[in-house]
Amino acid sequence: MRSGLISITRRLVLTVLVLEVLSAIALITAVAVRERNLEMRAFDATLVGTADSLMGAVQDAEDEHDNVLLDLRDLRFNKNAIYRVEDESKKDLGSHGDVMASFDSYSSSPGFHNATVSGKRYRVYVIHGIRVIDPGAPTGGATHHIIVLYGMPLGRVWHEVIEAIRFFIFATALLLGITTVIMMWCIKRYLSPLHDLAREADGISSRNWKFEAPSSAKDTAELRPLTDALEAALARLQRAFEQQRRFTSDAAHELKTDVAIVKSSLQLLSMRRRTLEEYDHGLAVSLEDFVRLEETVQRMLTLARLEHVPAGTLQGASANCSLNKAMEEAVHQSSYLAKLKQIEIAFMAAEDATVPLDYRDALLLCSNILQNALQHSSKESRIHVSIASEAQNVQLNVRDNGEGIHLEDLPFLFEPFYRGDPSRSRKSGGTGLGLSICKAICDRAGGSIQISNHTAGGAIVTVRLPVISKRESEASPRSLESIK
Amino acid sequence: MRVLLVEDEQRLAENVVAALREVGLAVDHAADGATASLLAEQDVYDAIVLDLMLPGKSGQGVLGDLRQQGLHTPVLILTAQEGKESIVQLLNAGADDYLSKPFDLGELIARIKALIRRGKGKATSLLTLGDVELNTVNQTVRRSNQPVDLSPTEYRILEYLMHRPRAVVSKQELLEHLYDFDWEHHSNVIEAHISNLRRKLDLAESEPLIETLRHRGYRLRTGDIS
């Protein structure tokens, strides 16, 4: 495990250990309290019993004065015990140990007391009793008030309790050790699918996207969401990456071809001395080739610009325009080509079609769609263009009467450099960026573009763009200004 | 020498065809893979220039089919792709050379000529046969150290024959290898050029250099010269 990293294993083990230690402490405390109480009760019973025995050991002294004495035969005492037995005349009948100070303090009140005897903690018990000597005598015998104090050091109780605590601490430590080992082993085992997953994921690179989550990880409930997410994310990434790679390679191919044409035109011209007319013609042709190269570059840059600015963001105050106007201009621009192919363009404008597009982009969108329609229309046909405003959208429809679109081409129409018919050379298909540019323009404005085949033949392009109401379009420049 | 150019980009093809014709090669052009295969299989080309990205059948497919049919025409691949792997693959699949776009026309011509030379089993651009010397770069001919002034077609016929010194070359073969589809040609044309060649090349005292074999064709006389 590398240091400096957060380790789940370590955290888990630590948490379990802390919990175990805490519960052990609680348990030991409870046990200690109970043990102490039990020991105390036994201790007290011993005190009472011994004190009673002492009381019982007060005997008739068998002298003429009806005195009493302490008969200690058959009695055993702890060697640290203290006691004192006194009669009413404060005569010491028997004592042991350093007992006087305690006796002075507690002898008047019977019961248990805690005392300190020569620095040690003691528990003492005091009983008051009456001893009647010769009750059968004519005088009625003599009555003696006896006070017994018996005490023992508390150390013995604590010794027992500490022994018990020590046992539990030892047991707990052993348990903790075993738990740690078992947990480490278990966690290591349970986390092995994660390692498998990491190993598999480690094999992923921009060249090798193959990722199949190991079954050990897939079959783990906690890892399933991760493997699923990984697989999905990788698939998306791969698609995006492949798309990018294809775009780069296609763009390079396109540019290289255009450059190759320009270069070869000029080299052909300079292969030998030529007439002035030949040079004139050669230069004109080279210029044409160059314009085509320029167009390709221009379109690539346009696409890059459109895709660079995130979708749905407006830029500057000029970001609104009328789609009607843009389409009108596009129709006007295409009129020459339309006339050439004898195609009639029927245009139905909407009342108000202000869309969140820069006018340049709107014109580019309209003319690209129209060019596309013209290219695919058969001679002497019609193209229907209509713009209609809906509740939230402006809908633009461009329908041609060409051969329509092959179903297998439909998913790829908006991919850069995709030319539907593979037998069609790039000559007739333009740069292959027109529809990609259209899609980028629509995406950025928060709209959409679709191409489908019309039931009555021909293709129909449908563009939906969010409409901007008149009031909004007048207000927005100012509000944008103020934001700036 | 006759070359087949397979290139779908119209403008590029126009330029390459024009350039190759300027250096005296006969050139046919195919704009797609299927046409290319059809033309290549006639086995009349001394070299093929093949673009990879073609509509329909790809350049790889054309090359594969050509080699599968046992045709050894040298093939130069034109590619806009950078990948070294695909180039290795192509060379292994029977391509003889490659050039990436945008290429230099001069380099393309030199490589095509080198391929033709190698295809005919010659290592240098100078062909010699006895005292006849033919420089394929400058397109000049000398006999006994004296420059001989030939027309482009005469030069091409001599070059073709010099590439195959001991073989009998039929009129048909000469027509196939020296003219592309854009030329109006007729077998009489060959006879006229051959007779011109004899007139310009042959020295007074020796046997004619170009031998005519009745109904079979022509052969460069080598035995008594070399």
Side-chain angles (χ1 to χ4, degrees), chain A residues 11-47:
Chain A
R11 278 180 165 191
L12 263 176
V13 171
L14 214 66
T15 309
V16 170
L17 290 188
V18 165
L19 282 177
E20 273 194 6
V21 166
L22 284 179
S23 38
I25 288 171
L27 182 72
I28 289 169
T29 312
V31 164
V33 167
R34 193 181 123 82
E35 192 70 14
R36 183 193 156 275
N37 285 346
L38 281 176
E39 286 293 327
M40 212 58 170
R41 219 174 295 159
F43 188 77
D44 284 356
T46 315
L47 279 184

Side-chain angles (χ1 to χ4, degrees), chain A residues 123-243:
Chain A
R123 188 165 172 85
V124 300
Y125 183 63
V126 177
I127 44 171
H128 290 188
I130 292 167
R131 263 278 170 252
V132 183
I133 306 297
D134 293 337
T139 51
T143 309
H144 293 280
H145 286 272
I146 310 293
I147 300 169
V148 175
L149 179 145
Y150 181 74
M152 279 197 296
L154 272 169
R156 232 192 72 208
V157 175
W158 287 118
H159 175 75
E160 295 297 325
V161 173
I162 284 164
E163 275 300 305
I165 290 174
R166 197 178 290 163
F167 170 75
F168 272 101
I169 286 176
F170 175 74
T172 306
L174 191 69
L175 199 68
L176 285 183
I178 293 170
T179 312
T180 310
V181 170
I182 292 177
M183 267 186 61
M184 293 292 268
W185 183 77
C186 283
I187 289 174
K188 206 177 155 188
R189 238 197 89 168
Y190 298 159
L191 286 187
S192 72
L194 207 56
H195 292 297
D196 295 345
L197 189 63
R199 244 195 316 280
E200 179 72 23
D202 196 38
I204 303 165
S205 70
S206 61
R207 291 186 171 279
N208 174 29
W209 289 97
K210 196 181 79 65
F211 173 79
E212 208 176 311
S215 58
S216 60
K218 263 187 170 169
D219 296 343
T220 308
E222 287 86 349
L223 291 182
R224 192 60 188 257
L226 181 64
T227 59
D228 288 352
L230 258 176
E231 280 178 346
L234 277 169
R236 277 197 302 275
L237 265 178
Q238 180 178 9
R239 266 200 303 282
F241 195 86
E242 292 295 329
Q243 219 168 350

Side-chain angles (χ1 to χ4, degrees), chain A residues 269-332:
Chain A
L269 198 60
S270 61
M271 272 178 86
R272 58 175 171 81
R273 287 232 162 268
R274 292 174 194 278
T275 64
L276 212 55
E277 287 75 31
E278 279 175 331
Y279 278 124
D280 275 348
H281 175 73
L283 281 178
V285 167
S286 298
L287 192 63
E288 257 172 52
D289 295 336
F290 197 82
V291 166
R292 219 144 72 85
L293 168 65
E294 191 188 11
E295 248 168 47
T296 305
V297 171
Q298 199 58 50
R299 286 187 163 227
M300 281 179 193
L301 290 179
T302 303
L303 191 60
R305 169 179 69 86
L306 289 170
E307 285 183 343
H308 188 67
V309 181
T313 53
L314 306 176
Q315 45 165 357
S318 64
N320 291 331
C321 73
S322 160
L323 194 61
N324 284 334
K325 257 189 211 159
M327 191 39 111
E328 259 167 46
E329 190 172 337
V331 170
H332 179 71

